[in-house]
Amino acid sequence: MIITWVPIAFSVVGSIIIIYGGILATIKTLVSEIRRKHFYYAEIRFNFTSKIALGLEFFIAGDLIKTITEPTFSQITTLAVIVGIRTVIGYFMDKESKELKKEIQKNGL
């Protein structure tokens, strides 16, 4: 019974992380715009991108656990496609995060 709730819990945690990152990014952007200060958005993008990538990892973990507990051919195929798409998205987001981090370090922020 508990094992059926674990994938849902992972999905909820992933959603919370992404929503939290979006709220923080929105607040930081709005504050910098309201203050009309010149602000370097790379730091906001870096933080938000890392939250999205972490959230995606939780989604993948939840999908893997669900498929392991209820393995049907249809679910395995669906999982393979979903994990593939999320892995590609995660890879490019990680790559963007690394570039943003280099940019932030280069500009001394």
mmCIF file of all heavy atoms in Angstrom, residues 17-31 44 47-48 51:
data_model
loop_
_atom_site.group_PDB
_atom_site.id
_atom_site.type_symbol
_atom_site.label_atom_id
_atom_site.label_comp_id
_atom_site.label_asym_id
_atom_site.label_seq_id
_atom_site.Cartn_x
_atom_site.Cartn_y
_atom_site.Cartn_z
ATOM 1 N N ILE A 17 9.105 21.725 -5.669
ATOM 2 C CA ILE A 17 10.415 22.324 -5.943
ATOM 3 C C ILE A 17 10.342 23.270 -7.131
ATOM 4 O O ILE A 17 10.863 24.394 -7.087
ATOM 5 C CB ILE A 17 11.478 21.230 -6.174
ATOM 6 C CG1 ILE A 17 11.752 20.488 -4.860
ATOM 7 C CG2 ILE A 17 12.769 21.816 -6.748
ATOM 8 C CD1 ILE A 17 12.584 19.243 -5.016
ATOM 9 N N ILE A 18 9.670 22.839 -8.200
ATOM 10 C CA ILE A 18 9.568 23.681 -9.396
ATOM 11 C C ILE A 18 8.713 24.919 -9.117
ATOM 12 O O ILE A 18 9.072 26.035 -9.512
ATOM 13 C CB ILE A 18 9.020 22.872 -10.580
ATOM 14 C CG1 ILE A 18 10.052 21.816 -11.002
ATOM 15 C CG2 ILE A 18 8.682 23.789 -11.757
ATOM 16 C CD1 ILE A 18 9.557 20.825 -12.031
ATOM 17 N N ILE A 19 7.599 24.740 -8.431
ATOM 18 C CA ILE A 19 6.744 25.882 -8.090
ATOM 19 C C ILE A 19 7.491 26.866 -7.189
ATOM 20 O O ILE A 19 7.440 28.089 -7.401
ATOM 21 C CB ILE A 19 5.433 25.406 -7.433
ATOM 22 C CG1 ILE A 19 4.573 24.670 -8.463
ATOM 23 C CG2 ILE A 19 4.662 26.571 -6.814
ATOM 24 C CD1 ILE A 19 3.414 23.889 -7.866
ATOM 25 N N TYR A 20 8.201 26.349 -6.195
ATOM 26 C CA TYR A 20 8.997 27.189 -5.300
ATOM 27 C C TYR A 20 10.032 27.992 -6.101
ATOM 28 O O TYR A 20 10.179 29.204 -5.896
ATOM 29 C CB TYR A 20 9.678 26.311 -4.250
ATOM 30 C CG TYR A 20 10.679 27.031 -3.388
ATOM 31 C CD1 TYR A 20 10.270 27.922 -2.409
ATOM 32 C CD2 TYR A 20 12.046 26.795 -3.549
ATOM 33 C CE1 TYR A 20 11.194 28.577 -1.610
ATOM 34 C CE2 TYR A 20 12.968 27.445 -2.758
ATOM 35 C CZ TYR A 20 12.541 28.338 -1.793
ATOM 36 O OH TYR A 20 13.462 28.988 -1.019
ATOM 37 N N GLY A 21 10.718 27.316 -7.011
ATOM 38 C CA GLY A 21 11.704 28.011 -7.842
ATOM 39 C C GLY A 21 11.068 29.089 -8.694
ATOM 40 O O GLY A 21 11.628 30.181 -8.856
ATOM 41 N N GLY A 22 9.887 28.805 -9.234
ATOM 42 C CA GLY A 22 9.185 29.795 -10.052
ATOM 43 C C GLY A 22 8.741 30.996 -9.247
ATOM 44 O O GLY A 22 8.838 32.141 -9.698
ATOM 45 N N ILE A 23 8.259 30.735 -8.041
ATOM 46 C CA ILE A 23 7.836 31.845 -7.174
ATOM 47 C C ILE A 23 9.034 32.714 -6.799
ATOM 48 O O ILE A 23 8.961 33.943 -6.869
ATOM 49 C CB ILE A 23 7.121 31.307 -5.909
ATOM 50 C CG1 ILE A 23 5.765 30.710 -6.296
ATOM 51 C CG2 ILE A 23 6.958 32.405 -4.861
ATOM 52 C CD1 ILE A 23 5.084 29.934 -5.179
ATOM 53 N N LEU A 24 10.151 32.079 -6.421
ATOM 54 C CA LEU A 24 11.355 32.856 -6.078
ATOM 55 C C LEU A 24 11.840 33.682 -7.256
ATOM 56 O O LEU A 24 12.187 34.858 -7.100
ATOM 57 C CB LEU A 24 12.482 31.921 -5.622
ATOM 58 C CG LEU A 24 12.408 31.380 -4.217
ATOM 59 C CD1 LEU A 24 13.615 30.479 -3.934
ATOM 60 C CD2 LEU A 24 12.353 32.500 -3.199
ATOM 61 N N ALA A 25 11.869 33.065 -8.445
ATOM 62 C CA ALA A 25 12.335 33.782 -9.633
ATOM 63 C C ALA A 25 11.418 34.964 -9.942
ATOM 64 O O ALA A 25 11.891 36.053 -10.284
ATOM 65 C CB ALA A 25 12.402 32.834 -10.830
ATOM 66 N N THR A 26 10.128 34.763 -9.802
ATOM 67 C CA THR A 26 9.168 35.838 -10.055
ATOM 68 C C THR A 26 9.348 36.975 -9.063
ATOM 69 O O THR A 26 9.392 38.152 -9.451
ATOM 70 C CB THR A 26 7.723 35.296 -9.970
ATOM 71 O OG1 THR A 26 7.574 34.238 -10.926
ATOM 72 C CG2 THR A 26 6.710 36.388 -10.240
ATOM 73 N N ILE A 27 9.471 36.629 -7.791
ATOM 74 C CA ILE A 27 9.636 37.667 -6.754
ATOM 75 C C ILE A 27 10.927 38.445 -6.977
ATOM 76 O O ILE A 27 10.929 39.684 -6.933
ATOM 77 C CB ILE A 27 9.598 37.039 -5.345
ATOM 78 C CG1 ILE A 27 8.185 36.558 -5.021
ATOM 79 C CG2 ILE A 27 10.087 38.034 -4.285
ATOM 80 C CD1 ILE A 27 8.093 35.712 -3.769
ATOM 81 N N LYS A 28 12.024 37.740 -7.222
ATOM 82 C CA LYS A 28 13.308 38.428 -7.427
ATOM 83 C C LYS A 28 13.260 39.324 -8.655
ATOM 84 O O LYS A 28 13.804 40.433 -8.645
ATOM 85 C CB LYS A 28 14.436 37.414 -7.540
ATOM 86 C CG LYS A 28 14.785 36.769 -6.223
ATOM 87 C CD LYS A 28 15.914 35.780 -6.376
ATOM 88 C CE LYS A 28 16.236 35.126 -5.040
ATOM 89 N NZ LYS A 28 17.351 34.182 -5.152
ATOM 90 N N THR A 29 12.615 38.866 -9.716
ATOM 91 C CA THR A 29 12.504 39.673 -10.928
ATOM 92 C C THR A 29 11.660 40.908 -10.675
ATOM 93 O O THR A 29 12.035 42.024 -11.066
ATOM 94 C CB THR A 29 11.899 38.841 -12.077
ATOM 95 O OG1 THR A 29 12.722 37.703 -12.317
ATOM 96 C CG2 THR A 29 11.799 39.653 -13.349
ATOM 97 N N LEU A 30 10.515 40.725 -10.023
ATOM 98 C CA LEU A 30 9.643 41.862 -9.739
ATOM 99 C C LEU A 30 10.320 42.875 -8.822
ATOM 100 O O LEU A 30 10.218 44.089 -9.050
ATOM 101 C CB LEU A 30 8.331 41.383 -9.117
ATOM 102 C CG LEU A 30 7.379 40.642 -10.053
ATOM 103 C CD1 LEU A 30 6.187 40.100 -9.278
ATOM 104 C CD2 LEU A 30 6.930 41.533 -11.192
ATOM 105 N N VAL A 31 11.007 42.401 -7.798
ATOM 106 C CA VAL A 31 11.698 43.311 -6.875
ATOM 107 C C VAL A 31 12.755 44.117 -7.615
ATOM 108 O O VAL A 31 12.873 45.332 -7.418
ATOM 109 C CB VAL A 31 12.308 42.522 -5.693
ATOM 110 C CG1 VAL A 31 13.287 43.388 -4.910
ATOM 111 C CG2 VAL A 31 11.209 42.002 -4.783
ATOM 112 N N ILE A 44 19.270 34.724 -11.271
ATOM 113 C CA ILE A 44 17.883 34.265 -11.137
ATOM 114 C C ILE A 44 17.649 33.062 -12.037
ATOM 115 O O ILE A 44 17.054 32.062 -11.614
ATOM 116 C CB ILE A 44 16.893 35.399 -11.493
ATOM 117 C CG1 ILE A 44 17.001 36.538 -10.479
ATOM 118 C CG2 ILE A 44 15.459 34.874 -11.543
ATOM 119 C CD1 ILE A 44 16.216 37.782 -10.848
ATOM 120 N N ASN A 47 19.374 29.886 -10.585
ATOM 121 C CA ASN A 47 18.643 29.302 -9.462
ATOM 122 C C ASN A 47 17.365 28.610 -9.922
ATOM 123 O O ASN A 47 17.039 27.512 -9.468
ATOM 124 C CB ASN A 47 18.317 30.369 -8.411
ATOM 125 C CG ASN A 47 19.551 30.821 -7.664
ATOM 126 O OD1 ASN A 47 20.488 30.059 -7.469
ATOM 127 N ND2 ASN A 47 19.569 32.072 -7.263
ATOM 128 N N PHE A 48 16.629 29.229 -10.838
ATOM 129 C CA PHE A 48 15.386 28.648 -11.314
ATOM 130 C C PHE A 48 15.647 27.388 -12.142
ATOM 131 O O PHE A 48 14.971 26.369 -11.979
ATOM 132 C CB PHE A 48 14.605 29.685 -12.127
ATOM 133 C CG PHE A 48 13.217 29.241 -12.523
ATOM 134 C CD1 PHE A 48 12.434 28.477 -11.678
ATOM 135 C CD2 PHE A 48 12.683 29.617 -13.738
ATOM 136 C CE1 PHE A 48 11.150 28.086 -12.036
ATOM 137 C CE2 PHE A 48 11.407 29.234 -14.107
ATOM 138 C CZ PHE A 48 10.639 28.466 -13.255
ATOM 139 N N LYS A 51 16.402 24.473 -9.939
ATOM 140 C CA LYS A 51 15.194 23.957 -9.285
ATOM 141 C C LYS A 51 14.381 23.101 -10.255
ATOM 142 O O LYS A 51 13.858 22.049 -9.878
ATOM 143 C CB LYS A 51 14.326 25.104 -8.765
ATOM 144 C CG LYS A 51 14.982 26.004 -7.753
ATOM 145 C CD LYS A 51 14.918 25.481 -6.362
ATOM 146 C CE LYS A 51 15.397 26.458 -5.330
ATOM 147 N NZ LYS A 51 16.742 26.937 -5.440
#
